[in-house]
C-alpha cells in the first residue's frame, strides 16, 4: 500500500470517530505514553526528553516512558514511530535531522505528511568560532582575513550535519575560501581547534561554550536567525550582513499523522508548561539550549515545514554531497 493511499484510508476510517476523539481528549492521557527518542541514551535530545517526560508525569498523573531507538542518524526511531497507532500514546522525539535527512538521501518517511509536529523542546545555538590568534573579532573581519589567507579550514562534527551545511552555506554566500574538515564528533573538532590545529569551526554551543568562557576559543557569530538568550552579546550571521541566514539545530516532539488535533493541542500545552519548570530551565541553561515556550503546535508545524524547505534549498545551493 502506498503512503498516500494509507493516509487516505486512515482518514476515511477515522472520520466517524472524530467527534468521539475530541470528547476523549479532555481525559487524555488515560494510560502510559511512550516517547520514542531516535537517539542513544545520554545525549542532549535524550536528556531533554527525560526531563520533560518527568514533568509531564507530574502534571498528567500518568507515566511518560522514554524508549531509545537509535541508529541511522535518527531514521530507525523515526520509522518505528511512524508505524504506531495515531492515538497520542506513542510520540517521537526527534532533532533537526528529521527535516534535514530527506534533502540528503532517501528515507522511509515524509517529514511533511507522515507526522504531526506537537511541540518544540529546544534550539541549540551553533557558533562560528576561531582560535584566539586569528586577527578577527567581527564577521566582516573574519571574511577579509580568510580571503587574505587564501584557504581557511573549518572544523565540524562531521559530514552532512547542520554545522557542515552552516559552513557551506556561509562559504557560498560570503565567497570566503573555506575548506570543510569533518571530525567524528564535536568533541574532537573542538579539541583540534583549541590545540590550534585548525583555525576555525562551526560548533554547537554546548560543546564549545566552556572554551569560550575560558578564552580558548573566540566567538565570531551565531548561526541561528536570532541572538541566543545564552549568548546575547554575540551577533548572528544574519544581522552581520547576510540577511535570511538561519541554520539552527532543534529538538521537538511529533505524533504520527492522524493523531486527533485536540490531543496534539493538549500535549503542546503540557510540554510548554513542562519546559518552564525550574529543573528543566536549569538544565537547558547548563547545556547551552534555548527554548520557546510560546510556540503553539501550529507555529511549530510551520517552523518544521520551513526547515524542510530550507534544507532542500541549502543542499541545492551548496552542491554538497554526503557520500
Amino acid at each position: 500500500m502506498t503512503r498516500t493511499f494509507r493516509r487516505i484510508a486512515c482518514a476515511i476510517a477515522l472520520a466517524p470517530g472524530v467527534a468521539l476523539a475530541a470528547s476523549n481528549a479532555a481525559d487524555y492521557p488515560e494510560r502510559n505514553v511512550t516517547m520514542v527518542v531516535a537517539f542513544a541514551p545520554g545525549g542532549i535530545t535524550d536528556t531533554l526528553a527525560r526531563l520533560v517526560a518527568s514533568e509531564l508525569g507530574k502534571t498528567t498523573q500518568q507515566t511518560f516512558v522514554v524508549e531509545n531507538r537509535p541508529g541511522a542518524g535518527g531514521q530507525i526511531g523515526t520509522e518505528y514511530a511512524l508505524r504506531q497507532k495515531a492515538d497520542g500514546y506513542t510520540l517521537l522525539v526527534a532533532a533537526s535531522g528529521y527535516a534535514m535527512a530527506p534533502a540528503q538521501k532517501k528515507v522511509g518517511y515524509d517529514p511533511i505528511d507522515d507526522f504531526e509536529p506537537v511541540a518544540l523542546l529546544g534550539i541549540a545555538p551553533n557558533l562560528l568560532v576561531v582560535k584566539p590568534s586569528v586577527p578577527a573579532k567581527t564577521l566582516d573581519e573574519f571574511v577579509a582575513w580568510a580571503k587574505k589567507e587564501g584557504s581557511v579550514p573549518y572544523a565540524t562534527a562531521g559530514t552532512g550535519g547542520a554545522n557542515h551545511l552552516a559552513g557551506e552555506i556561509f562559504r557560498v554566500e560570503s565567497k570566503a575560501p573555506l575548506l570543510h574538515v569533518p571530525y567524528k564528533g564535536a568533541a574532537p573538532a573542538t579539541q583540534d581547534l583549541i590545540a590550534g590545529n585548525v583555525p576555525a569551526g562551526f560548533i554547537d554551543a554546548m560543546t564549545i561554550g566552556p572554551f569560550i568562557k575560558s578564552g580558548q576559543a573566540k566567538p565570531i557569530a551565531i548561526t541561528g536567525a536570532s541572538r541566543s538568550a545564552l549568548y546575547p552579546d554575540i551577533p548572528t550571521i544574519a544581522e552581520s550582513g547576510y540577511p535570511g541566514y538561519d541554520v539552527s539545530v532543534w529538538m521537538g516532539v511529533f505524533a504520527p499523522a492522524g493523531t486527533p488535533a485536540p490531543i496534539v493541542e493538549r500535549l503542546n500545552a503540557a510540554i510548554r508548561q513542562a519546559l518552564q519548570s525550574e529543573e528543566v530551565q536549569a538544565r537547558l541553561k547548563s547545556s547551552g539550549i534555548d527554548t520557546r515556550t510560546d510556540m503553539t503546535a501550529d507555529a511549530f508545524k510551520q517552523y518544521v515545514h520551513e526547515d524542510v524547505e530550507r534544507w532542500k534549498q541549502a543542499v541545492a545551493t551548496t552542491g554538497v554531497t554526503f557520500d
Side-chain angles (χ1 to χ4, degrees):
M1 182 183 295
T2 66
R3 182 180 289 112
T4 300
F5 183 76
R6 186 177 67 223
R7 287 196 296 271
I8 294 172
C10 180
I12 293 172
L14 290 176
V18 170
L20 179 62
S23 65
N24 289 343
D27 299 322
Y28 171 87
E30 298 180 285
R31 52 186 171 84
N32 291 356
V33 178
T34 298
M35 299 178 72
V36 177
V37 175
F39 302 96
I44 186 58
T45 304
D46 174 71
T47 300
L48 188 50
R50 291 179 186 278
L51 286 169
V52 170
S54 177
E55 293 296 324
L56 289 172
K58 296 173 187 176
T59 59
T60 66
Q61 305 302 309
Q62 295 291 344
T63 301
F64 281 70
V65 180
V66 173
E67 181 179 315
N68 297 90
R69 287 184 175 268
Q75 305 314 303
I76 290 177
T78 300
E79 292 175 24
Y80 170 81
L82 173 62
R83 298 191 296 269
Q84 308 311 303
K85 290 180 64 175
D87 57 5
Y89 288 95
T90 301
L91 306 174
L92 170 69
V93 183
S96 51
Y98 169 90
M100 187 189 311
Q104 303 176 359
K105 58 188 177 182
K106 184 177 181 180
V107 296
Y109 67 95
D110 186 309
I112 301 296
D113 294 333
D114 284 344
F115 285 94
E116 190 66 38
V118 174
L120 175 74
L121 293 181
I123 300 174
N126 293 285
L127 297 93
L128 167 58
V129 295
V130 296
K131 62 184 183 180
S133 62
V134 171
K137 294 182 180 179
T138 68
L139 197 60
D140 282 346
E141 291 174 352
F142 173 77
V143 171
W145 170 79
K147 290 180 178 179
K148 184 178 179 180
E149 288 291 301
S151 179
V152 173
Y154 72 91
T156 74
T159 299
N163 287 336
H164 176 199
L165 283 175
E168 291 305 292
I169 293 169
F170 182 66
R171 175 185 61 79
V172 170
E173 294 191 4
S174 67
K175 297 181 173 56
L178 303 180
L179 176 65
H180 181 228
V181 181
Y183 288 79
K184 293 182 178 180
T190 299
Q191 290 167 5
D192 247 18
L193 177 73
I194 300 307
N197 296 326
V198 63
F202 283 83
I203 301 175
D204 69 274
M206 182 173 66
T207 303
I208 200 65
F211 300 99
I212 292 175
K213 187 175 181 179
S214 68
Q216 294 173 279
K218 181 166 53 176
I220 299 295
I222 294 278
T223 67
S226 58
R227 293 198 184 198
S228 167
L230 304 170
Y231 299 95
D233 296 330
I234 303 177
T236 66
I237 290 177
E239 71 181 272
S240 302
Y242 302 87
Y245 184 101
D246 177 16
V247 183
S248 299
V249 173
W250 50 262
M251 294 142 283
V253 178
F254 296 79
T259 300
I263 289 179
V264 171
E265 295 295 338
R266 185 171 175 83
L267 277 167
N268 174 270
I271 291 170
R272 287 160 60 193
Q273 180 181 345
L275 289 169
Q276 296 179 58
S277 76
E278 290 185 7
E279 183 180 0
V280 174
Q281 284 291 314
R283 185 53 191 260
L284 287 169
K285 186 174 182 180
S286 68
S287 300
I289 304 296
D290 288 325
T291 192
R292 290 273 307 278
T293 57
D294 63 333
M295 190 174 282
T296 64
D298 282 343
F300 182 48
K301 176 185 286 189
Q302 181 178 355
Y303 181 88
V304 172
H305 290 188
E306 288 176 353
D307 208 43
V308 170
E309 291 305 313
R310 182 180 295 114
W311 290 120
K312 287 181 183 177
Q313 293 174 15
V315 170
T317 299
T318 63
V320 171
T321 58
F322 305 95
D323 293 335

